[in-house]
Amino acid sequence: MRRKINNAVRFMVILLVSFTFAKCQKDDNDVGQTDARILSSAKEWFKAYELKGDNFALLQNLNYNWNDAEIRNSKDGTKTIIVPVNEAKKDATELWEQKLYIYQLSENNYEALLFEIFPNGTSRSPEDLSIDSATFSGYIAAWDLKKGFVKTASFENGRLIENGTVKLVLKNANTTGKAPSGVACPAGIECDVDGGGTTDTGIQLKEVVVYNNYQNTSSGGYIIYNGTGSGYSNYTDTGSYTNHGTGTGSGSESGENQSSNTSTPCEQMKVLINSADPNNMIAGINWLKSIVNGTVNNKEFGIEIRMTMNADQTFTYQYNQFSSPNEFSVALTTDYYHIGGAHSHPENGYAMFSFADVRFLSNAYNEASPLRKNDVIFMVVAKDKAGITNTYAIKVDNIGVLNDKVNQVWNNPKFIGKTDDEKIKIIHKDQGYKYRDSKGALEESFLQQFGSFGISLYKADSSMSKWNKLTLNTTTNKTIQTPCI
C-alpha cells in the first residue's frame, strides 16, 4: 500500500513539473512572438519614415543591422527597439558607434532618434565601452534623422557631467583650414565653413564625410564637441539620456491623466519668461533675438517645445533649436508631445505672424495630446522697420473656429490644381500687400486679418518681464494693450 502511495505521489510531482515546464515554454513563445510582431511593425514604420523626404545630410544611407536588433523597456518604461548600425569608419579601430532607437508610442506608432556613442575612458573592455555600463565615460550625441542635431553631453562613470553642442568643421585636405568649394553647411548643425575650426579648442569626436563619399576627401570634416556647462534636470545618466520620455510602460499610452489643462494663457506664458522657473525659455528667446539683431539675418531659425511628464507628474519643457536653409520657413515638429515653439523672421520678411504661422498653431493644437493642448503656443521674434525687436505670441481661444478659418483660406477653390508651395506663396503675397499698406501698423493689420480666427495675440515687453494681450479698438483702429495677470 505504501509503495502505491509513493508511486502516486511521484507521478503527481512529475505531472506538475511537466505542466510547469510546458507553461513556461508557452509563455516564452508568447513573448518571442510579441517581440517579433513589434520588431516587424517598427521595421515597416521606419521604412516608410525614411521615404518621407531626404535624411539629414550626415545621416544618409546608414546600414542598419536589423538582425541584431533588441527590444527593451527604456528607463521610463517606453518599449524601445535598439538597432545597431554598421558604421562607415575610415579606421576600423575607431571606438565610436551608432545605434538607432525606435520608441513605440502606441500600436504601430513610433518615433526615432539616432544616438552616437564616443567612449573616452582608459578601459578598452567591451563592457566599459557600452553606454549600459555603470562605468561608461565619454560623449553621447542624439540626432533627428530628418532635422539633424538634437543634443549632446559628456559622461563620467555613467553620470552626466556636462551638456554641450557639436559643430561640423568642413575641411579640405589640399588646402588645410579652408572650406571645400561647393560644400555647404547642411541645415541642422552649426558649421565652421571658413577654416576657423582649425583653432577650435573643442574635442574632436570623429571624422565625417558630408556626402558619405569616402573617396572624396575634399568633402570631409570633423565633428567637434564643446561643453556648455548647462544641464538638463531630467537627465542624470545614460539610461535617462536615451529615454523617450513617454512613460508608455505605466498603463495608458503615456501613463498620463489625459484631462485637459485648465491654467489660463497668461499663467502658461509667464512660465516662459520667469527666470526663477526651471522651464523658462529666456535663453532660447535671447538666441532668436541675437539672430535677428545680427549683421546677417537672411534665414529663419526656430525652437520647438516638447512637454515631457516627470515621475512626480510635473512637466519639463525641452527646447530644441533648429536652423533652416530657407529664408521664409523653418520645420518644427507637431505631434502628441510637442506644444509649438518659437521662430525668427528674416530682415526681408514682415515683423509679424504670417498665415503659415497661424496654420502651424492650428496643426500644433490639433496634434498635441489633450493634456497639452491648452499649453500650445507659437512665438515670433522679429525686428521691425524702426529697428525695434519684438517678441509676439499667439494662443488658441477656439480651435473649432480656428480650424474652420484656416481651412477656408487653404481650401479656396482658386487654389485647385496648385501645390502647397504655390498656395502658400499666393497667400503670403496677398498678406504682404496688407502689411505693406498698413505703413508699419503691423499689430493692427494682423488683428484685422485674423481677429475672427479664434486666436489671441500677445506681446512681451522690452525687458521680457511681462506679457500684454493685444486687442483692436474698432473705432480708432489702434491696438489696446491689456497686462497679463
Side-chain angles (χ1 to χ4, degrees):
M1 183 68 168
R2 175 180 245 169
R3 181 176 299 171
K4 288 183 179 180
I5 293 175
N6 287 341
N7 289 338
V9 170
R10 190 178 296 114
F11 174 76
M12 290 299 294
V13 170
I14 293 172
L15 184 63
L16 181 60
V17 170
S18 298
F19 173 77
T20 302
F21 177 72
K23 184 178 185 303
C24 288
Q25 274 195 319
K26 183 178 185 302
D27 290 345
D28 290 343
N29 290 336
D30 287 345
V31 171
Q33 291 171 3
T34 299
D35 284 353
R37 285 195 299 270
I38 292 174
L39 182 58
S40 176
S41 172
K43 190 174 182 179
E44 287 301 311
W45 171 86
F46 186 71
K47 181 179 179 181
Y49 169 76
E50 286 229 291
L51 292 175
K52 294 180 179 178
D54 291 337
N55 278 3
F56 173 60
L58 303 184
L59 304 177
Q60 295 184 23
N61 304 316
L62 297 181
N63 183 10
Y64 302 101
N65 182 6
W66 289 95
N67 290 332
D68 289 339
E70 61 173 315
I71 300 175
R72 65 169 72 167
N73 287 334
S74 294
K75 196 169 183 178
D76 65 352
T78 305
K79 187 75 73 175
T80 305
I81 300 91
I82 303 175
V83 186
V85 177
N86 297 320
E87 301 89 2
K89 298 177 179 178
K90 296 192 75 172
D91 183 348
T93 63
E94 295 174 11
L95 294 176
W96 62 273
E97 62 178 340
Q98 295 171 319
K99 290 187 177 182
L100 175 68
Y101 279 59
I102 301 178
Y103 305 98
Q104 184 182 41
L105 309 187
S106 58
E107 189 73 21
N108 299 322
N109 184 22
Y110 304 88
E111 285 185 358
L113 284 177
L114 183 86
F115 285 91
E116 292 188 318
I117 301 101
F118 306 91
N120 73 342
T122 56
S123 173
R124 290 297 179 263
S125 166
E127 293 78 13
D128 294 329
L129 297 177
S130 168
I131 62 171
D132 296 325
S133 169
T135 59
F136 173 82
S137 294
Y139 306 90
I140 300 176
W143 303 83
D144 184 298
L145 287 165
K146 300 297 182 183
K147 297 179 181 179
F149 173 69
V150 175
K151 62 183 179 180
T152 187
S154 174
F155 294 81
E156 283 187 7
N157 293 319
R159 308 299 294 178
L160 189 153
I161 61 169
E162 179 188 57
N163 288 287
T165 60
V166 295
K167 179 190 295 183
L168 171 61
V169 179
L170 295 168
K171 279 182 69 72
N172 187 314
N174 297 321
T175 54
T176 304
K178 300 296 183 181
S181 59
V183 177
C185 177
I189 186 173
E190 181 186 355
C191 288
D192 181 346
V193 295
D194 61 4
T198 55
T199 60
D200 197 300
T201 58
I203 298 167
Q204 181 178 315
L205 297 181
K206 69 169 185 176
E207 186 172 357
V208 298
V209 173
V210 175
Y211 300 115
N212 284 334
N213 177 8
Y214 283 96
Q215 302 303 313
N216 181 4
T217 57
S218 67
S219 65
Y222 301 94
I223 292 292
I224 301 292
Y225 170 91
N226 283 289
T228 63
S230 61
Y232 295 97
S233 59
N234 56 325
Y235 302 142
T236 57
D237 55 22
T238 58
S240 61
Y241 201 70
T242 55
N243 268 349
H244 180 266
T246 63
T248 42
S250 55
S252 66
E253 180 174 343
S254 60
E256 302 166 355
N257 174 1
Q258 291 302 319
S259 58
S260 179
N261 178 10
T262 58
S263 59
T264 68
C266 285
E267 290 171 337
Q268 296 152 16
M269 292 194 300
K270 284 179 182 178
V271 170
L272 303 179
I273 58 173
N274 180 4
S275 60
D277 195 299
N279 282 328
N280 80 78
M281 195 180 178
I282 295 173
I285 295 173
N286 287 338
W287 175 66
L288 292 177
K289 284 184 175 181
S290 70
I291 290 166
V292 301
N293 291 325
T295 55
V296 178
N297 177 27
N298 58 7
K299 292 180 175 62
E300 287 200 5
F301 291 75
I303 304 171
E304 58 186 30
I305 309 173
R306 183 185 174 92
M307 185 175 172
T308 302
M309 177 172 278
N310 303 317
D312 61 358
Q313 304 296 299
T314 60
F315 284 93
T316 296
Y317 287 177
Q318 298 173 351
Y319 300 108
N320 292 324
Q321 299 177 354
F322 295 97
S323 60
S324 170
N326 304 314
E327 184 175 14
F328 297 115
S329 66
V330 60
L332 300 177
T333 301
T334 58
D335 65 13
Y336 192 91
Y337 302 99
H338 284 82
I339 59 169
H343 71 305
S344 64
H345 275 186
E347 60 183 343
N348 288 336
Y350 286 98
M352 182 49 64
F353 291 104
S354 66
F355 171 80
D357 297 336
V358 174
R359 186 167 178 256
F360 174 87
L361 181 73
S362 172
N363 291 337
Y365 189 99
N366 290 328
E367 295 187 33
S369 74
L371 181 66
R372 294 170 172 82
K373 288 186 184 298
N374 282 349
D375 287 279
V376 169
I377 187 172
F378 199 38
M379 291 177 277
V380 64
V381 176
K383 182 190 289 188
D384 62 24
K385 298 304 180 184
I388 300 173
T389 301
N390 293 308
T391 303
Y392 295 99
I394 46 177
K395 295 276 293 179
V396 177
D397 296 327
N398 187 320
I399 189 58
V401 172
L402 176 58
N403 288 339
D404 287 344
K405 290 291 187 179
V406 168
N407 289 333
Q408 285 174 20
V409 176
W410 192 248
N411 298 320
N412 190 308
K414 70 180 181 181
F415 295 138
I416 293 176
K418 301 290 186 183
T419 66
D420 286 356
D421 285 343
E422 291 171 337
K423 288 162 68 172
I424 204 69
K425 286 179 181 178
I426 295 171
I427 294 169
H428 282 175
K429 184 177 181 179
D430 292 341
Q431 188 182 15
Y433 290 142
K434 294 174 182 176
Y435 278 147
R436 182 199 62 187
D437 294 343
S438 75
K439 297 180 180 179
L442 300 178
E443 297 169 0
E444 288 83 356
S445 181
F446 176 84
L447 291 170
Q448 289 167 356
Q449 295 176 60
F450 299 99
S452 62
F453 272 60
I455 61 177
S456 290
L457 176 66
Y458 299 85
K459 181 180 182 179
D461 67 354
S462 58
S463 64
M464 294 300 298
S465 61
K466 65 179 180 180
W467 292 95
N468 291 297
K469 183 176 181 179
L470 304 185
T471 54
L472 186 67
N473 183 323
T474 55
T475 302
T476 63
N477 280 331
K478 299 294 183 182
T479 56
I480 301 171
Q481 295 195 18
T482 304
C484 248
I485 56 174

